[in-house]
Amino acid sequence: MSAQDTTATQSTPPAPDTRAAPAIERPAPPARSKGAAALGWVLTIGLNVVAPIITYNMLRDHGWSEFAALLGGSAWPVLESVVHLAWRRRLDEFAVVTLTFLALTAVVSLLGAHSSRALLVKDSGVTGLFGLLCLATLLAPRPLMFYFGRKFATDGTAESTAWWNGLWQFEGFRTTIRTMTAVWGVSYCLEAVARIALAYTLSTDTMVVLSPVLTYVVLGLLAVWTAMYGKRSRRKGEERAAAAAAG
């Protein structure tokens, strides 16, 4: 080979690599404590549904007014928030939202009309504000369901929290979270309207039992839909990643 050929060979740029870049795989979630998760749900249901109903009935049997009995039963959700804060020993975004709505509830209860029906309608205002907050956070860098998802999809450890935060880099995950936030926001706005209509249609004794049950029926339906939608979105994401790797 001549010197001229050698020079031409050395100056020829290498052929571009046409191989597709490997698809980024979503990391698997770390192991979580099932006992801690189960205890959290027991506390939530016990202090937000069972305890308020029992407290209301006991106070009514001891001669308390409907309004005073309702206000006494509302202390249990406050205790539930305090227990979780003491348990986790940190104040995350979920706790901030919870305490904000508890403060709004207290202010409305103290400044509003002191009647049992007004206190029941107040619950509609709280759930309605939650729905509006969900919709408003769609304009934020990360919508509200991102933080709620992190609350219930992890066990609160630094490892599981870092895993959840890292999922935001995936476009499919971001789309899923924003869709969930929109559905939760619309659902709770509609739930607030329905609760107000029921508060002016049914008796107070009936609404005391129905109101927390309605809250958790709506929550349960949304939770089931969220789980199903999340699994379907993750499956589609894995299929797209596999197709990109094969191509």
Side-chain angles (χ1 to χ4, degrees):
M1 178 181 295
S2 65
Q4 183 178 1
D5 294 336
T6 303
T7 304
T9 302
Q10 291 176 348
S11 62
T12 301
D17 188 359
T18 58
R19 293 176 299 177
I24 302 176
E25 296 183 359
R26 285 178 51 164
R32 59 182 300 189
S33 173
K34 295 182 178 180
L39 180 59
W41 279 108
V42 169
L43 286 173
T44 297
I45 295 175
L47 296 179
N48 285 274
V49 178
V50 179
I53 293 176
I54 294 176
T55 300
Y56 173 83
N57 290 327
M58 290 182 62
L59 294 178
R60 288 288 287 152
D61 291 341
H62 285 78
W64 288 47
S65 66
E66 292 178 342
F67 174 82
L70 283 169
L71 199 58
S74 66
W76 292 106
V78 177
L79 176 61
E80 191 259 349
S81 296
V82 172
V83 168
H84 275 285
L85 287 175
W87 185 9
R88 298 301 185 189
R89 296 188 181 278
R90 65 184 179 89
L91 193 65
D92 58 10
E93 294 85 351
F94 180 88
V96 170
V97 173
T98 301
L99 293 177
T100 298
F101 277 99
L102 286 173
L104 288 175
T105 300
V107 170
V108 172
S109 299
L110 292 174
L111 300 181
H114 284 194
S115 68
S116 57
R117 194 176 302 280
L119 195 57
L120 290 171
V121 171
K122 171 265 304 176
D123 293 335
S124 304
V126 173
T127 56
L129 286 174
F130 175 77
L132 293 176
L133 179 62
C134 286
L135 298 178
T137 58
L138 291 173
L139 303 176
R142 297 187 182 186
L144 189 59
M145 283 301 111
F146 173 84
Y147 301 105
F148 276 50
R150 189 174 66 185
K151 171 73 175 180
F152 294 104
T154 69
D155 58 3
T157 60
E159 182 183 8
S160 61
T161 299
W163 162 75
W164 182 262
N165 292 341
L167 294 178
W168 190 251
Q169 65 181 301
F170 301 100
E171 182 181 356
F173 179 80
R174 296 194 298 269
T175 300
T176 298
I177 293 297
R178 290 191 176 106
T179 301
M180 289 179 177
T181 303
V183 171
W184 279 66
V186 172
S187 297
Y188 270 107
C189 287
L190 295 176
E191 184 263 0
V193 173
R195 188 191 295 272
I196 292 175
L198 291 173
Y200 283 96
T201 303
L202 303 177
S203 65
T204 300
D205 290 345
T206 301
M207 278 301 298
V208 165
V209 177
L210 181 60
S211 183
V213 172
L214 179 63
T215 297
Y216 281 90
V217 166
V218 173
L219 177 61
L221 292 175
L222 285 172
V224 171
W225 173 83
T226 300
M228 295 175 62
Y229 177 71
K231 289 181 179 178
R232 185 179 64 179
S233 298
R234 180 170 184 175
R235 184 175 65 252
K236 289 182 176 180
E238 292 172 348
E239 292 173 354
R240 286 193 298 267

